[in-house]
Amino acid sequence: MHRLFFGLIFLFSIGISGQEKYPQEAFRAPLEIPLILAGTFGELRSNHFHSGIDIKTQQREGLPIFAIGDGTVTRIKVSLWGYGKVLYVAHPNGYTSVYGHLQKFSPEIEEYIKKVQYKKKSYEVEVFPNYGDVKVEKGKVIAYSGNTGGSSGPHLHFEIRSSISEKPTNPLLYGLEVRDATDPILDKLYGYPISKDAQINQSNDKVEINFSRQKDGTYLADSVSALGTIGFGFLGYDRQDLAANKNGIYSVQQLVNGKVYTDYDFESFSFSETRYINTLIDYDHYGKYRKKIQRCFKTKANRLSIYNTLKNNGKIAVREGLSYSVEILIKDLKGNLTKVTIPVEGKKEEIIIKKEDTKTETFIVAKKPNNYNLGAAKVYFPTNTFYKDFYIDLKKGNDTVTIHNSRIPAHRKFTITFDVTKYPKAERKQLFIARLDKKMKPNYASTYKRKNTFTTRTRNLGTYTLAKDTIAPKVKAKNFKEKQWLNNYSYLSLKISDDLSGIDTYSATINGKWILMEYEPKKNTITYNFEDTIIDQKQCHLVVIVTDNVGNSTTFDSTFYRK
Ligand SMILES: [Zn+2]
């Protein structure tokens, strides 16, 4: 009886979520604490979909991370940005598990990677061990959780990819237990007039649509009057049990009079398409309000493979005198469902709210390369830098150039080239290309210096100028003093910082021998572990050299004693 009951539930649950494609028993969880998510797979991030799950680690670092299955380490990377310290384990069943933002690796892997770091004299390294060289066993500790790289709080970033295609898949499709009985939350609903003649509620610009909760738990939107080709979009998120944070939803369906017009989910996607998130969301709205509206219709430039069904690209052709029932269903991976019904009446009305007219002198055709001379700099947009044709706002200046604003996304990098002929050679050394942020503070943009020109390649629209960094980085001892005995110390720590162009490189030696210092840019700290090397002299002379992005350099030196 029990067996049959559970069997039926199991069949039902795999039937609805397509989990049958993925092994359900092969993997264990990467942590031994209950899995509470700070981020879901496919969650909308800036310029990409989240390619894994973020597992909370009780606001601390150093929790043991376990291999989810037998396998071999195929890649180890230590980076200041991105995944920080990360481990890739290939499993015999064709999947690779990825563990990111680690504090450190297991002793064996730590020894392996430190050899490489000392050989290359670099903290940042990437190695691809030969198949079988670094084996791991299911359930054995392979690393400790941390907060390295582009992480803003302790957590484990965990992925499961196909080993061959490297396509990331939703890790929750492999039978990992995450408690979630909470329905996704619908925050805001929007209607989009799409065709030139289209209108919604007397507007030919995007309109917000109110909705309210019904007795049966579903939502009903205020009836809208519309005409022409229209579409819908929404702001929504999911929440797991035991956590207040907002996570991404799993799937979206849009039905028109019972017919599926749109159906997409985050079962899997490929890294090559992830930037097309900028075509799924209403980027203009994102540029203005930093909120990501998911649109239930697909634009021409959108090349995402996440769609299971699309009818008329999710767009609805509304005719006068007809009525339509539009339903939007948002679900999490457990099948918890939030549904909103929007009654639509085909009606021609007087337009009261007109779309703002943003014509400029320059109309840019996305599928052609475009070159502009803006006085202080030239800008070159390669073919398909942008997703659509639009009126671009270009401003010339003596020292600055403004390339539109951040409300338009660029899919490809474009080039900005400043002429530096007017600057004496000595001065050029300290100059760099800077992007001015909202507070007009200059931020370093990677500057390639040629004879009379400086060039940067970027995807960020905005204001650029030449800035000058004349001040060398600062270096300060953090946990020790000059001429101190450091016998009981396990590590040396220093603070490094730069006021403007930012730190480019650093290196450290003790008595002339290179030592590994781990750099944490979030804390401006570099740290040396005394276990790394055998210091055979009582008197130790530490030299640290830090260089900023224009080549200003500071040498710090200090003597300490140890026996
Ligand atoms: Zn993550």
Side-chain angles (χ1 to χ4, degrees), residues 4-263:
L4 179 66
F5 181 68
F6 281 111
L8 280 174
I9 287 185
F10 179 67
L11 278 175
F12 181 64
S13 70
I14 58 171
I16 54 167
S17 53
Q19 288 174 342
E20 68 271 22
K21 285 189 211 163
Y22 303 96
Q24 297 299 298
E25 307 290 337
F27 298 134
R28 57 152 287 160
L31 286 154
E32 58 190 347
I33 55 169
L35 302 184
I36 300 173
L37 303 187
T40 49
F41 182 83
E43 195 163 273
L44 314 172
R45 301 279 171 96
S46 75
N47 295 313
H48 69 283
F49 296 106
H50 191 224
S51 52
I53 53 173
D54 287 342
I55 306 171
K56 293 190 175 204
T57 52
Q58 306 174 332
Q59 282 105 45
R60 57 202 171 103
E61 298 185 26
L63 300 188
I65 308 283
F66 304 92
I68 61 163
D70 291 344
T72 177
V73 175
T74 50
R75 185 178 176 193
I76 313 167
K77 190 174 178 181
V78 177
S79 168
L80 297 176
W81 322 110
Y83 292 8
K85 293 184 187 178
V86 56
L87 204 55
Y88 295 71
V89 177
H91 305 283
N93 61 1
Y95 294 98
T96 292
S97 54
V98 182
Y99 313 79
H101 307 307
L102 303 169
Q103 179 193 53
K104 59 182 180 191
F105 304 107
S106 69
E108 307 84 67
I109 299 171
E110 196 73 15
E111 198 187 316
Y112 183 95
I113 198 72
K114 283 215 168 156
K115 267 188 200 144
V116 179
Q117 289 172 314
Y118 271 87
K119 199 178 154 203
K120 294 196 169 165
K121 297 189 173 171
S122 172
Y123 172 54
E124 288 190 281
V125 288
E126 182 174 21
V127 280
F128 299 88
N130 287 325
Y131 210 86
D133 272 7
V134 189
K135 281 186 181 160
V136 301
E137 262 176 62
K138 184 175 184 172
K140 289 275 161 67
V141 175
I142 51 171
Y144 296 88
S145 71
N147 187 29
T148 53
S151 167
S152 55
H155 75 274
L156 172 68
H157 172 89
F158 175 67
E159 292 182 14
I160 301 181
R161 300 181 183 180
S162 153
S163 299
I164 294 171
S165 71
E166 286 198 77
K167 253 181 124 166
T169 56
N170 196 320
L172 299 185
L173 293 168
Y174 296 79
L176 297 178
E177 187 48 38
V178 175
R179 281 180 57 185
D180 185 3
T182 311
D183 289 340
I185 284 124
L186 178 67
D187 199 7
K188 280 188 156 93
L189 189 62
Y190 298 92
Y192 289 82
I194 299 172
S195 59
K196 260 203 181 120
D197 59 340
Q199 51 172 275
I200 301 177
N201 290 351
Q202 299 192 296
S203 167
N204 59 19
D205 201 1
K206 172 182 72 191
V207 291
E208 193 181 331
I209 300 164
N210 292 323
F211 54 89
S212 55
R213 198 178 167 90
Q214 303 301 105
K215 276 196 184 122
D216 65 357
T218 68
Y219 293 88
L220 181 65
D222 295 352
S223 176
V224 297
S225 56
L227 207 63
T229 303
I230 64 164
F232 291 97
F234 66 91
L235 282 173
Y237 54 91
D238 188 35
R239 269 179 36 206
Q240 267 75 41
D241 300 0
L242 312 168
N245 52 287
K246 296 175 180 180
N247 290 333
I249 56 175
Y250 179 67
S251 74
V252 176
Q253 273 118 30
Q254 179 187 239
L255 282 74
V256 181
N257 294 338
K259 250 192 211 131
V260 180
Y261 267 52
T262 313
D263 180 355

Side-chain angles (χ1 to χ4, degrees), residues 294-312:
Q294 307 194 35
R295 297 187 292 189
C296 302
F297 56 96
K298 184 177 162 291
T299 59
K300 219 172 164 187
N302 178 334
R303 294 197 189 172
L304 292 169
S305 69
I306 57 174
Y307 298 97
N308 303 312
T309 309
L310 269 176
K311 186 178 156 57
N312 200 26

